[in-house]
Amino acid sequence: MSANSTDPPGTVDVVLVKGGRTKIRYPAVPVADDGVRIVVRAPWAGAGVRDFGFVRFEPGDVFTEYYWRDRWYAVKEVRDGGGRLKGWYCDITRPAVRTGAELVVEDLDLDLWRSADGTDVLRLDEDEFARSGLTERDPAAAGAAVAALGELEALAREGGFTALLA
């Protein structure tokens, strides 16, 4: 964020990097930062509606996003404009890095969705991960990503993210 930024004071720019390029950048309001976990809140930053088939992200949705400096994932609680919980969208990422007013996370292609009622737990984009070449380029990172997806899936199936996000 520059001195000429139109972002209100007290915001951070969340920067999602994928394949070495910025995929999306959006302002978010910091909620908490304990030195390990960073929590921000932001409205849906996409253009218009994004229908995944199992959930629709749309203008008015609010994301409370949890990032860790020591874990290989981010968990995003998604609520509609009226506050109704839609579910949790989880990105498998390298650990987050916050520098000043910028929070940078590198997306590693794997994702997980857990519906609000817990009936749907979906592993997403495993084909994209396989095509990314990360397994060959950086086997340690690929192993950490797969382990993180397994950890999140176990939490999602065993009752959700309440303890993780508390």
Side-chain angles (χ1 to χ4, degrees), residues 34-103:
D34 65 8
V36 176
R37 187 179 75 180
I38 305 157
V39 183
V40 300
R41 188 166 292 123
W44 165 239
V49 174
R50 176 110 188 252
D51 190 340
F52 289 93
F54 51 87
V55 66
R56 287 170 49 104
F57 295 159
E58 51 203 335
D61 286 351
V62 177
F63 288 65
T64 302
E65 304 177 357
Y66 299 80
Y67 298 93
W68 285 265
R69 290 177 172 97
D70 64 350
R71 296 187 188 190
W72 287 70
Y73 52 76
V75 177
K76 300 170 182 181
E77 179 187 276
V78 185
R79 294 183 178 271
D80 68 17
R84 184 184 62 84
L85 180 64
K86 290 184 171 186
W88 295 266
Y89 194 92
C90 307
D91 287 319
I92 303 304
T93 67
R94 291 185 188 270
V97 177
R98 182 172 180 185
T99 306
E102 198 171 70
L103 176 61

Short mmCIF file of all heavy atoms in Angstrom, two decimals, residues 34-103:
data_model
loop_
_atom_site.label_atom_id
_atom_site.label_comp_id
_atom_site.label_asym_id
_atom_site.label_seq_id
_atom_site.Cartn_x
_atom_site.Cartn_y
_atom_site.Cartn_z
N ASP A 34 -1.24 -12.45 16.24
CA ASP A 34 -0.55 -12.83 17.47
C ASP A 34 0.91 -13.19 17.23
O ASP A 34 1.58 -13.73 18.12
CB ASP A 34 -1.29 -13.97 18.17
CG ASP A 34 -1.28 -15.28 17.37
OD1 ASP A 34 -0.59 -15.37 16.33
OD2 ASP A 34 -2.00 -16.22 17.80
N GLY A 35 1.41 -12.89 16.04
CA GLY A 35 2.79 -13.22 15.70
C GLY A 35 2.91 -14.52 14.95
O GLY A 35 3.90 -14.76 14.27
N VAL A 36 1.90 -15.39 15.05
CA VAL A 36 1.88 -16.65 14.33
C VAL A 36 0.69 -16.68 13.38
O VAL A 36 0.83 -16.99 12.20
CB VAL A 36 1.83 -17.86 15.29
CG1 VAL A 36 1.70 -19.17 14.51
CG2 VAL A 36 3.06 -17.88 16.17
N ARG A 37 -0.48 -16.35 13.90
CA ARG A 37 -1.70 -16.36 13.10
C ARG A 37 -2.17 -14.93 12.84
O ARG A 37 -2.20 -14.11 13.75
CB ARG A 37 -2.81 -17.15 13.79
CG ARG A 37 -4.03 -17.32 12.91
CD ARG A 37 -5.10 -18.12 13.58
NE ARG A 37 -5.74 -17.29 14.59
CZ ARG A 37 -6.74 -17.70 15.36
NH1 ARG A 37 -7.17 -18.94 15.27
NH2 ARG A 37 -7.28 -16.89 16.24
N ILE A 38 -2.53 -14.68 11.60
CA ILE A 38 -3.03 -13.38 11.17
C ILE A 38 -4.47 -13.58 10.73
O ILE A 38 -4.76 -14.47 9.93
CB ILE A 38 -2.20 -12.84 9.99
CG1 ILE A 38 -0.72 -12.80 10.34
CG2 ILE A 38 -2.73 -11.48 9.55
CD1 ILE A 38 0.19 -12.81 9.14
N VAL A 39 -5.37 -12.73 11.22
CA VAL A 39 -6.77 -12.80 10.84
C VAL A 39 -7.16 -11.46 10.22
O VAL A 39 -6.87 -10.40 10.80
CB VAL A 39 -7.68 -13.09 12.06
CG1 VAL A 39 -9.14 -13.24 11.63
CG2 VAL A 39 -7.20 -14.33 12.82
N VAL A 40 -7.79 -11.54 9.05
CA VAL A 40 -8.27 -10.34 8.36
C VAL A 40 -9.71 -10.57 7.92
O VAL A 40 -10.17 -11.72 7.83
CB VAL A 40 -7.39 -9.96 7.14
CG1 VAL A 40 -5.95 -9.69 7.56
CG2 VAL A 40 -7.46 -11.01 6.05
N ARG A 41 -10.40 -9.49 7.65
CA ARG A 41 -11.78 -9.58 7.14
C ARG A 41 -11.88 -8.73 5.88
O ARG A 41 -11.36 -7.62 5.83
CB ARG A 41 -12.76 -9.10 8.19
CG ARG A 41 -14.21 -9.36 7.80
CD ARG A 41 -15.18 -9.19 8.98
NE ARG A 41 -14.96 -10.26 9.95
CZ ARG A 41 -14.66 -10.05 11.23
NH1 ARG A 41 -14.56 -8.85 11.72
NH2 ARG A 41 -14.48 -11.08 12.04
N ALA A 42 -12.55 -9.29 4.87
CA ALA A 42 -12.68 -8.59 3.59
C ALA A 42 -13.95 -9.01 2.89
O ALA A 42 -14.39 -10.16 3.01
CB ALA A 42 -11.48 -8.90 2.70
N PRO A 43 -14.53 -8.09 2.13
CA PRO A 43 -15.65 -8.49 1.28
C PRO A 43 -15.15 -9.32 0.11
O PRO A 43 -13.96 -9.30 -0.21
CB PRO A 43 -16.21 -7.15 0.80
CG PRO A 43 -15.04 -6.22 0.82
CD PRO A 43 -14.19 -6.68 1.98
N TRP A 44 -16.05 -10.08 -0.51
CA TRP A 44 -15.72 -10.85 -1.71
C TRP A 44 -15.01 -9.93 -2.69
O TRP A 44 -15.52 -8.86 -3.04
CB TRP A 44 -17.00 -11.43 -2.29
CG TRP A 44 -16.91 -11.96 -3.69
CD1 TRP A 44 -17.66 -11.53 -4.75
CD2 TRP A 44 -16.08 -13.01 -4.19
NE1 TRP A 44 -17.33 -12.24 -5.87
CE2 TRP A 44 -16.37 -13.16 -5.57
CE3 TRP A 44 -15.11 -13.82 -3.62
CZ2 TRP A 44 -15.73 -14.09 -6.37
CZ3 TRP A 44 -14.47 -14.75 -4.42
CH2 TRP A 44 -14.78 -14.89 -5.77
N ALA A 45 -13.81 -10.33 -3.10
CA ALA A 45 -12.97 -9.47 -3.94
C ALA A 45 -13.07 -9.81 -5.42
O ALA A 45 -12.45 -9.16 -6.25
CB ALA A 45 -11.51 -9.58 -3.49
N GLY A 46 -13.84 -10.82 -5.75
CA GLY A 46 -13.98 -11.19 -7.15
C GLY A 46 -14.91 -10.26 -7.90
O GLY A 46 -15.67 -9.50 -7.31
N ALA A 47 -14.84 -10.35 -9.21
CA ALA A 47 -15.73 -9.56 -10.06
C ALA A 47 -17.03 -10.33 -10.24
O ALA A 47 -17.04 -11.41 -10.82
CB ALA A 47 -15.07 -9.30 -11.40
N GLY A 48 -18.11 -9.82 -9.70
CA GLY A 48 -19.40 -10.47 -9.86
C GLY A 48 -19.53 -11.75 -9.07
O GLY A 48 -18.92 -11.91 -8.01
N VAL A 49 -20.31 -12.69 -9.60
CA VAL A 49 -20.60 -13.95 -8.93
C VAL A 49 -19.66 -15.04 -9.45
O VAL A 49 -19.38 -15.10 -10.64
CB VAL A 49 -22.07 -14.37 -9.20
CG1 VAL A 49 -22.36 -15.75 -8.63
CG2 VAL A 49 -23.02 -13.34 -8.62
N ARG A 50 -19.19 -15.88 -8.54
CA ARG A 50 -18.40 -17.05 -8.93
C ARG A 50 -19.12 -18.27 -8.39
O ARG A 50 -19.21 -18.47 -7.17
CB ARG A 50 -16.98 -16.95 -8.36
CG ARG A 50 -16.13 -18.16 -8.63
CD ARG A 50 -15.03 -17.85 -9.63
NE ARG A 50 -14.34 -19.05 -10.03
CZ ARG A 50 -13.12 -19.39 -9.67
NH1 ARG A 50 -12.42 -18.60 -8.90
NH2 ARG A 50 -12.58 -20.51 -10.11
N ASP A 51 -19.67 -19.05 -9.29
CA ASP A 51 -20.44 -20.24 -8.92
C ASP A 51 -19.57 -21.47 -9.10
O ASP A 51 -19.20 -21.82 -10.22
CB ASP A 51 -21.70 -20.33 -9.78
CG ASP A 51 -22.66 -21.40 -9.30
OD1 ASP A 51 -22.24 -22.31 -8.54
OD2 ASP A 51 -23.84 -21.32 -9.67
N PHE A 52 -19.25 -22.12 -7.99
CA PHE A 52 -18.42 -23.32 -8.02
C PHE A 52 -19.25 -24.59 -8.16
O PHE A 52 -18.71 -25.68 -8.25
CB PHE A 52 -17.58 -23.42 -6.74
CG PHE A 52 -16.49 -22.40 -6.64
CD1 PHE A 52 -16.70 -21.20 -5.99
CD2 PHE A 52 -15.23 -22.64 -7.18
CE1 PHE A 52 -15.69 -20.25 -5.89
CE2 PHE A 52 -14.22 -21.71 -7.07
CZ PHE A 52 -14.45 -20.51 -6.44
N GLY A 53 -20.56 -24.45 -8.11
CA GLY A 53 -21.44 -25.62 -8.14
C GLY A 53 -21.86 -26.03 -6.74
O GLY A 53 -23.02 -26.32 -6.48
N PHE A 54 -20.94 -26.00 -5.81
CA PHE A 54 -21.24 -26.36 -4.42
C PHE A 54 -21.42 -25.13 -3.54
O PHE A 54 -21.92 -25.24 -2.43
CB PHE A 54 -20.14 -27.27 -3.85
CG PHE A 54 -18.74 -26.73 -4.04
CD1 PHE A 54 -18.18 -25.85 -3.13
CD2 PHE A 54 -17.99 -27.09 -5.15
CE1 PHE A 54 -16.91 -25.34 -3.30
CE2 PHE A 54 -16.71 -26.58 -5.35
CZ PHE A 54 -16.17 -25.72 -4.42
N VAL A 55 -21.00 -23.95 -4.03
CA VAL A 55 -21.18 -22.68 -3.32
C VAL A 55 -21.04 -21.55 -4.34
O VAL A 55 -20.36 -21.71 -5.36
CB VAL A 55 -20.15 -22.49 -2.18
CG1 VAL A 55 -18.73 -22.34 -2.71
CG2 VAL A 55 -20.51 -21.30 -1.28
N ARG A 56 -21.73 -20.45 -4.06
CA ARG A 56 -21.60 -19.24 -4.88
C ARG A 56 -20.98 -18.15 -4.02
O ARG A 56 -21.47 -17.87 -2.93
CB ARG A 56 -22.98 -18.76 -5.35
CG ARG A 56 -23.60 -19.59 -6.41
CD ARG A 56 -25.06 -19.19 -6.64
NE ARG A 56 -25.27 -17.77 -6.80
CZ ARG A 56 -25.50 -17.15 -7.95
NH1 ARG A 56 -25.56 -17.85 -9.06
NH2 ARG A 56 -25.70 -15.85 -8.00
N PHE A 57 -19.90 -17.55 -4.53
CA PHE A 57 -19.34 -16.36 -3.90
C PHE A 57 -19.89 -15.18 -4.70
O PHE A 57 -19.85 -15.20 -5.94
CB PHE A 57 -17.82 -16.37 -3.95
CG PHE A 57 -17.19 -17.48 -3.14
CD1 PHE A 57 -15.89 -17.88 -3.42
CD2 PHE A 57 -17.85 -18.11 -2.10
CE1 PHE A 57 -15.28 -18.88 -2.68
CE2 PHE A 57 -17.25 -19.12 -1.36
CZ PHE A 57 -15.97 -19.50 -1.66
N GLU A 58 -20.37 -14.17 -3.98
CA GLU A 58 -21.02 -13.07 -4.67
C GLU A 58 -20.87 -11.78 -3.90
O GLU A 58 -20.53 -11.80 -2.71
CB GLU A 58 -22.48 -13.41 -4.92
CG GLU A 58 -23.23 -13.87 -3.69
CD GLU A 58 -24.46 -14.70 -4.03
OE1 GLU A 58 -25.01 -14.54 -5.13
OE2 GLU A 58 -24.87 -15.50 -3.19
N PRO A 59 -21.10 -10.65 -4.58
CA PRO A 59 -21.02 -9.37 -3.88
C PRO A 59 -21.88 -9.40 -2.62
O PRO A 59 -22.99 -9.95 -2.62
CB PRO A 59 -21.58 -8.38 -4.92
CG PRO A 59 -21.25 -9.02 -6.24
CD PRO A 59 -21.44 -10.49 -6.00
N GLY A 60 -21.34 -8.85 -1.55
CA GLY A 60 -22.01 -8.86 -0.25
C GLY A 60 -21.46 -9.92 0.68
O GLY A 60 -21.60 -9.82 1.90
N ASP A 61 -20.84 -10.97 0.13
CA ASP A 61 -20.23 -12.00 0.97
C ASP A 61 -19.05 -11.41 1.74
O ASP A 61 -18.34 -10.53 1.23
CB ASP A 61 -19.72 -13.18 0.14
CG ASP A 61 -20.83 -14.07 -0.40
OD1 ASP A 61 -22.00 -13.88 0.01
OD2 ASP A 61 -20.53 -14.93 -1.24
N VAL A 62 -18.86 -11.90 2.95
CA VAL A 62 -17.76 -11.43 3.80
C VAL A 62 -16.90 -12.64 4.17
O VAL A 62 -17.41 -13.66 4.62
CB VAL A 62 -18.29 -10.73 5.07
CG1 VAL A 62 -17.14 -10.33 5.98
CG2 VAL A 62 -19.13 -9.52 4.69
N PHE A 63 -15.59 -12.47 3.99
CA PHE A 63 -14.63 -13.52 4.28
C PHE A 63 -13.81 -13.12 5.51
O PHE A 63 -13.22 -12.05 5.54
CB PHE A 63 -13.66 -13.69 3.11
CG PHE A 63 -14.26 -14.34 1.89
CD1 PHE A 63 -15.28 -13.71 1.17
CD2 PHE A 63 -13.82 -15.57 1.47
CE1 PHE A 63 -15.83 -14.30 0.06
CE2 PHE A 63 -14.37 -16.17 0.35
CZ PHE A 63 -15.38 -15.54 -0.36
N THR A 64 -13.81 -13.98 6.53
CA THR A 64 -12.88 -13.84 7.64
C THR A 64 -11.79 -14.85 7.36
O THR A 64 -12.04 -16.06 7.31
CB THR A 64 -13.55 -14.08 8.99
OG1 THR A 64 -14.64 -13.16 9.13
CG2 THR A 64 -12.56 -13.88 10.14
N GLU A 65 -10.58 -14.35 7.12
CA GLU A 65 -9.49 -15.17 6.61
C GLU A 65 -8.41 -15.36 7.67
O GLU A 65 -7.94 -14.40 8.27
CB GLU A 65 -8.90 -14.50 5.37
CG GLU A 65 -9.96 -14.24 4.31
CD GLU A 65 -9.47 -13.52 3.08
OE1 GLU A 65 -8.28 -13.13 3.02
OE2 GLU A 65 -10.30 -13.33 2.17
N TYR A 66 -8.02 -16.61 7.86
CA TYR A 66 -7.03 -16.99 8.86
C TYR A 66 -5.79 -17.49 8.13
O TYR A 66 -5.86 -18.44 7.34
CB TYR A 66 -7.57 -18.11 9.75
CG TYR A 66 -8.82 -17.72 10.51
CD1 TYR A 66 -10.07 -17.73 9.89
CD2 TYR A 66 -8.74 -17.33 11.84
CE1 TYR A 66 -11.22 -17.37 10.59
CE2 TYR A 66 -9.89 -16.97 12.54
CZ TYR A 66 -11.12 -16.99 11.91
OH TYR A 66 -12.24 -16.63 12.60
N TYR A 67 -4.66 -16.83 8.40
CA TYR A 67 -3.38 -17.18 7.79
C TYR A 67 -2.38 -17.48 8.91
O TYR A 67 -2.43 -16.88 9.97
CB TYR A 67 -2.83 -16.01 6.96
CG TYR A 67 -3.72 -15.63 5.81
CD1 TYR A 67 -4.68 -14.63 5.95
CD2 TYR A 67 -3.60 -16.25 4.58
CE1 TYR A 67 -5.51 -14.27 4.89
CE2 TYR A 67 -4.42 -15.90 3.52
CZ TYR A 67 -5.37 -14.90 3.68
OH TYR A 67 -6.17 -14.55 2.63
N TRP A 68 -1.45 -18.39 8.62
CA TRP A 68 -0.42 -18.74 9.60
C TRP A 68 0.95 -18.53 9.00
O TRP A 68 1.18 -18.78 7.83
CB TRP A 68 -0.57 -20.20 10.02
CG TRP A 68 -1.71 -20.46 10.93
CD1 TRP A 68 -1.67 -20.52 12.29
CD2 TRP A 68 -3.08 -20.71 10.57
NE1 TRP A 68 -2.92 -20.77 12.80
CE2 TRP A 68 -3.81 -20.89 11.77
CE3 TRP A 68 -3.77 -20.76 9.36
CZ2 TRP A 68 -5.17 -21.15 11.79
CZ3 TRP A 68 -5.12 -21.02 9.37
CH2 TRP A 68 -5.81 -21.21 10.57
N ARG A 69 1.86 -18.10 9.86
CA ARG A 69 3.25 -17.95 9.45
C ARG A 69 4.01 -19.28 9.53
O ARG A 69 5.14 -19.38 9.05
CB ARG A 69 3.95 -16.92 10.35
CG ARG A 69 3.46 -15.50 10.12
CD ARG A 69 4.15 -14.54 11.10
NE ARG A 69 3.85 -13.15 10.80
CZ ARG A 69 2.88 -12.45 11.41
NH1 ARG A 69 2.13 -13.03 12.36
NH2 ARG A 69 2.67 -11.20 11.09
N ASP A 70 3.40 -20.28 10.15
CA ASP A 70 4.07 -21.56 10.34
C ASP A 70 3.27 -22.76 9.83
O ASP A 70 3.60 -23.90 10.12
CB ASP A 70 4.41 -21.76 11.82
CG ASP A 70 3.17 -21.85 12.70
OD1 ASP A 70 2.04 -21.57 12.23
OD2 ASP A 70 3.33 -22.21 13.90
N ARG A 71 2.22 -22.51 9.08
CA ARG A 71 1.40 -23.60 8.53
C ARG A 71 1.22 -23.39 7.03
O ARG A 71 1.29 -22.26 6.55
CB ARG A 71 0.02 -23.66 9.21
CG ARG A 71 0.16 -23.97 10.67
CD ARG A 71 -1.17 -24.20 11.32
NE ARG A 71 -0.99 -24.32 12.77
CZ ARG A 71 -1.94 -24.71 13.57
NH1 ARG A 71 -3.12 -25.05 13.11
NH2 ARG A 71 -1.70 -24.79 14.87
N TRP A 72 0.93 -24.47 6.35
CA TRP A 72 0.87 -24.47 4.89
C TRP A 72 -0.57 -24.37 4.40
O TRP A 72 -0.94 -25.01 3.42
CB TRP A 72 1.56 -25.72 4.36
CG TRP A 72 3.05 -25.64 4.50
CD1 TRP A 72 3.77 -25.70 5.67
CD2 TRP A 72 4.00 -25.46 3.47
NE1 TRP A 72 5.10 -25.56 5.40
CE2 TRP A 72 5.27 -25.42 4.05
CE3 TRP A 72 3.89 -25.33 2.08
CZ2 TRP A 72 6.43 -25.26 3.31
CZ3 TRP A 72 5.04 -25.18 1.34
CH2 TRP A 72 6.30 -25.14 1.96
N TYR A 73 -1.37 -23.54 5.05
CA TYR A 73 -2.74 -23.34 4.59
C TYR A 73 -3.31 -22.04 5.13
O TYR A 73 -2.76 -21.43 6.04
CB TYR A 73 -3.65 -24.50 4.98
CG TYR A 73 -3.64 -24.91 6.44
CD1 TYR A 73 -4.29 -24.16 7.41
CD2 TYR A 73 -3.00 -26.08 6.83
CE1 TYR A 73 -4.29 -24.56 8.74
CE2 TYR A 73 -3.00 -26.48 8.16
CZ TYR A 73 -3.65 -25.72 9.10
OH TYR A 73 -3.66 -26.11 10.42
N ALA A 74 -4.44 -21.65 4.52
CA ALA A 74 -5.24 -20.53 4.97
C ALA A 74 -6.69 -21.01 5.00
O ALA A 74 -7.13 -21.76 4.11
CB ALA A 74 -5.12 -19.35 4.00
N VAL A 75 -7.43 -20.61 6.01
CA VAL A 75 -8.84 -20.99 6.16
C VAL A 75 -9.68 -19.73 6.07
O VAL A 75 -9.42 -18.76 6.80
CB VAL A 75 -9.09 -21.73 7.49
CG1 VAL A 75 -10.57 -22.06 7.66
CG2 VAL A 75 -8.24 -22.99 7.57
N LYS A 76 -10.67 -19.75 5.20
CA LYS A 76 -11.51 -18.57 4.98
C LYS A 76 -12.96 -18.91 5.30
O LYS A 76 -13.58 -19.72 4.61
CB LYS A 76 -11.37 -18.11 3.54
CG LYS A 76 -9.93 -17.74 3.21
CD LYS A 76 -9.69 -17.49 1.76
CE LYS A 76 -8.21 -17.17 1.53
NZ LYS A 76 -7.91 -16.91 0.14
N GLU A 77 -13.46 -18.30 6.37
CA GLU A 77 -14.86 -18.47 6.73
C GLU A 77 -15.68 -17.54 5.84
O GLU A 77 -15.39 -16.34 5.76
CB GLU A 77 -15.06 -18.11 8.20
CG GLU A 77 -16.49 -18.24 8.66
CD GLU A 77 -16.66 -17.72 10.07
OE1 GLU A 77 -16.40 -18.49 11.01
OE2 GLU A 77 -17.02 -16.53 10.21
N VAL A 78 -16.70 -18.08 5.20
CA VAL A 78 -17.48 -17.31 4.23
C VAL A 78 -18.91 -17.15 4.73
O VAL A 78 -19.59 -18.13 5.05
CB VAL A 78 -17.51 -18.01 2.85
CG1 VAL A 78 -18.22 -17.15 1.83
CG2 VAL A 78 -16.10 -18.38 2.39
N ARG A 79 -19.36 -15.89 4.80
CA ARG A 79 -20.74 -15.57 5.21
C ARG A 79 -21.38 -14.71 4.14
O ARG A 79 -20.70 -13.90 3.49
CB ARG A 79 -20.75 -14.84 6.55
CG ARG A 79 -20.27 -15.73 7.69
CD ARG A 79 -20.37 -15.03 9.04
NE ARG A 79 -19.94 -15.93 10.09
CZ ARG A 79 -20.74 -16.77 10.75
NH1 ARG A 79 -22.03 -16.77 10.48
NH2 ARG A 79 -20.26 -17.57 11.67
N ASP A 80 -22.68 -14.85 4.00
CA ASP A 80 -23.39 -13.98 3.05
C ASP A 80 -23.59 -12.61 3.67
O ASP A 80 -23.23 -12.38 4.84
CB ASP A 80 -24.70 -14.61 2.58
CG ASP A 80 -25.77 -14.72 3.65
OD1 ASP A 80 -25.69 -14.05 4.72
OD2 ASP A 80 -26.73 -15.48 3.43
N GLY A 81 -24.14 -11.70 2.91
CA GLY A 81 -24.32 -10.33 3.37
C GLY A 81 -25.18 -10.20 4.62
O GLY A 81 -25.07 -9.23 5.36
N GLY A 82 -26.04 -11.18 4.88
CA GLY A 82 -26.88 -11.18 6.07
C GLY A 82 -26.24 -11.86 7.26
O GLY A 82 -26.85 -11.96 8.33
N GLY A 83 -25.01 -12.35 7.07
CA GLY A 83 -24.30 -12.99 8.17
C GLY A 83 -24.46 -14.50 8.24
O GLY A 83 -23.88 -15.15 9.11
N ARG A 84 -25.23 -15.10 7.32
CA ARG A 84 -25.43 -16.56 7.32
C ARG A 84 -24.16 -17.25 6.83
O ARG A 84 -23.60 -16.91 5.80
CB ARG A 84 -26.59 -16.93 6.41
CG ARG A 84 -26.93 -18.42 6.42
CD ARG A 84 -28.03 -18.77 5.43
NE ARG A 84 -27.66 -18.48 4.06
CZ ARG A 84 -26.95 -19.30 3.28
NH1 ARG A 84 -26.50 -20.45 3.74
NH2 ARG A 84 -26.66 -18.95 2.04
N LEU A 85 -23.70 -18.23 7.61
CA LEU A 85 -22.50 -18.99 7.27
C LEU A 85 -22.75 -19.85 6.04
O LEU A 85 -23.69 -20.64 6.01
CB LEU A 85 -22.08 -19.87 8.45
CG LEU A 85 -20.84 -20.72 8.26
CD1 LEU A 85 -19.60 -19.85 8.05
CD2 LEU A 85 -20.65 -21.65 9.45
N LYS A 86 -21.88 -19.69 5.03
CA LYS A 86 -21.93 -20.54 3.85
C LYS A 86 -21.00 -21.74 4.02
O LYS A 86 -21.30 -22.84 3.57
CB LYS A 86 -21.50 -19.76 2.60
CG LYS A 86 -22.48 -18.70 2.17
CD LYS A 86 -22.01 -18.04 0.87
CE LYS A 86 -23.06 -17.14 0.29
NZ LYS A 86 -22.68 -16.61 -1.04
N GLY A 87 -19.83 -21.51 4.63
CA GLY A 87 -18.87 -22.58 4.82
C GLY A 87 -17.46 -22.04 4.91
O GLY A 87 -17.26 -20.84 5.13
N TRP A 88 -16.51 -22.93 4.71
CA TRP A 88 -15.09 -22.58 4.80
C TRP A 88 -14.38 -23.00 3.52
O TRP A 88 -14.45 -24.16 3.12
CB TRP A 88 -14.43 -23.26 5.99
CG TRP A 88 -14.96 -22.81 7.30
CD1 TRP A 88 -14.46 -21.82 8.09
CD2 TRP A 88 -16.10 -23.32 7.99
NE1 TRP A 88 -15.23 -21.69 9.21
CE2 TRP A 88 -16.25 -22.59 9.19
CE3 TRP A 88 -17.04 -24.33 7.71
CZ2 TRP A 88 -17.26 -22.83 10.09
CZ3 TRP A 88 -18.05 -24.57 8.60
CH2 TRP A 88 -18.16 -23.82 9.78
N TYR A 89 -13.67 -22.06 2.93
CA TYR A 89 -12.85 -22.35 1.76
C TYR A 89 -11.40 -22.30 2.23
O TYR A 89 -10.97 -21.30 2.81
CB TYR A 89 -13.08 -21.31 0.66
CG TYR A 89 -12.51 -21.74 -0.66
CD1 TYR A 89 -13.31 -22.44 -1.57
CD2 TYR A 89 -11.20 -21.49 -1.00
CE1 TYR A 89 -12.80 -22.86 -2.78
CE2 TYR A 89 -10.68 -21.91 -2.21
CZ TYR A 89 -11.49 -22.59 -3.09
OH TYR A 89 -10.97 -23.02 -4.30
N CYS A 90 -10.68 -23.36 2.00
CA CYS A 90 -9.30 -23.47 2.49
C CYS A 90 -8.33 -23.54 1.31
O CYS A 90 -8.51 -24.35 0.41
CB CYS A 90 -9.14 -24.72 3.35
SG CYS A 90 -10.34 -24.85 4.69
N ASP A 91 -7.34 -22.69 1.34
CA ASP A 91 -6.27 -22.69 0.34
C ASP A 91 -5.04 -23.36 0.94
O ASP A 91 -4.66 -23.04 2.07
CB ASP A 91 -5.86 -21.27 -0.04
CG ASP A 91 -6.88 -20.56 -0.90
OD1 ASP A 91 -7.43 -21.19 -1.81
OD2 ASP A 91 -7.10 -19.36 -0.67
N ILE A 92 -4.42 -24.23 0.18
CA ILE A 92 -3.13 -24.76 0.58
C ILE A 92 -2.09 -23.78 0.04
O ILE A 92 -2.06 -23.49 -1.16
CB ILE A 92 -2.91 -26.18 0.04
CG1 ILE A 92 -4.04 -27.11 0.49
CG2 ILE A 92 -1.54 -26.70 0.46
CD1 ILE A 92 -4.25 -27.20 2.00
N THR A 93 -1.28 -23.24 0.94
CA THR A 93 -0.33 -22.18 0.60
C THR A 93 0.98 -22.40 1.34
O THR A 93 1.03 -23.15 2.32
CB THR A 93 -0.87 -20.80 1.01
OG1 THR A 93 -0.91 -20.74 2.45
CG2 THR A 93 -2.24 -20.51 0.45
N ARG A 94 2.00 -21.72 0.92
CA ARG A 94 3.19 -21.63 1.75
C ARG A 94 2.82 -20.77 2.96
O ARG A 94 1.85 -20.00 2.90
CB ARG A 94 4.34 -20.99 0.98
CG ARG A 94 4.88 -21.88 -0.13
CD ARG A 94 6.11 -21.25 -0.78
NE ARG A 94 6.51 -21.99 -1.95
CZ ARG A 94 7.38 -23.00 -1.95
NH1 ARG A 94 7.93 -23.38 -0.82
NH2 ARG A 94 7.68 -23.62 -3.06
N PRO A 95 3.57 -20.84 4.04
CA PRO A 95 3.27 -19.98 5.19
C PRO A 95 3.22 -18.50 4.77
O PRO A 95 3.97 -18.05 3.91
CB PRO A 95 4.44 -20.26 6.15
CG PRO A 95 4.80 -21.69 5.84
CD PRO A 95 4.66 -21.79 4.33
N ALA A 96 2.31 -17.78 5.39
CA ALA A 96 2.07 -16.37 5.06
C ALA A 96 3.24 -15.50 5.51
O ALA A 96 3.90 -15.79 6.51
CB ALA A 96 0.79 -15.89 5.72
N VAL A 97 3.45 -14.42 4.79
CA VAL A 97 4.48 -13.43 5.12
C VAL A 97 3.81 -12.06 5.17
O VAL A 97 3.21 -11.63 4.17
CB VAL A 97 5.62 -13.43 4.08
CG1 VAL A 97 6.63 -12.33 4.41
CG2 VAL A 97 6.29 -14.79 4.01
N ARG A 98 3.90 -11.40 6.31
CA ARG A 98 3.36 -10.04 6.42
C ARG A 98 4.53 -9.08 6.55
O ARG A 98 5.37 -9.20 7.43
CB ARG A 98 2.45 -9.90 7.62
CG ARG A 98 1.86 -8.49 7.70
CD ARG A 98 0.82 -8.35 8.75
NE ARG A 98 0.32 -6.98 8.76
CZ ARG A 98 -0.53 -6.51 9.64
NH1 ARG A 98 -1.01 -7.31 10.58
NH2 ARG A 98 -0.93 -5.27 9.59
N THR A 99 4.55 -8.11 5.64
CA THR A 99 5.54 -7.06 5.66
C THR A 99 4.80 -5.74 5.62
O THR A 99 4.21 -5.40 4.59
CB THR A 99 6.49 -7.17 4.45
OG1 THR A 99 7.03 -8.49 4.40
CG2 THR A 99 7.61 -6.16 4.53
N GLY A 100 4.78 -5.05 6.74
CA GLY A 100 4.06 -3.78 6.80
C GLY A 100 2.60 -3.98 6.50
O GLY A 100 1.92 -4.75 7.17
N ALA A 101 2.12 -3.32 5.47
CA ALA A 101 0.70 -3.37 5.13
C ALA A 101 0.41 -4.36 4.01
O ALA A 101 -0.59 -4.25 3.31
CB ALA A 101 0.22 -1.98 4.73
N GLU A 102 1.27 -5.36 3.85
CA GLU A 102 1.08 -6.35 2.81
C GLU A 102 1.18 -7.75 3.42
O GLU A 102 2.11 -8.06 4.15
CB GLU A 102 2.13 -6.16 1.72
CG GLU A 102 1.80 -6.82 0.42
CD GLU A 102 2.76 -6.42 -0.67
OE1 GLU A 102 3.94 -6.85 -0.62
OE2 GLU A 102 2.35 -5.69 -1.59
N LEU A 103 0.21 -8.59 3.10
CA LEU A 103 0.17 -9.98 3.53
C LEU A 103 0.24 -10.83 2.27
O LEU A 103 -0.67 -10.81 1.45
CB LEU A 103 -1.11 -10.26 4.31
CG LEU A 103 -1.36 -11.69 4.75
CD1 LEU A 103 -0.26 -12.18 5.69
CD2 LEU A 103 -2.72 -11.78 5.44
#
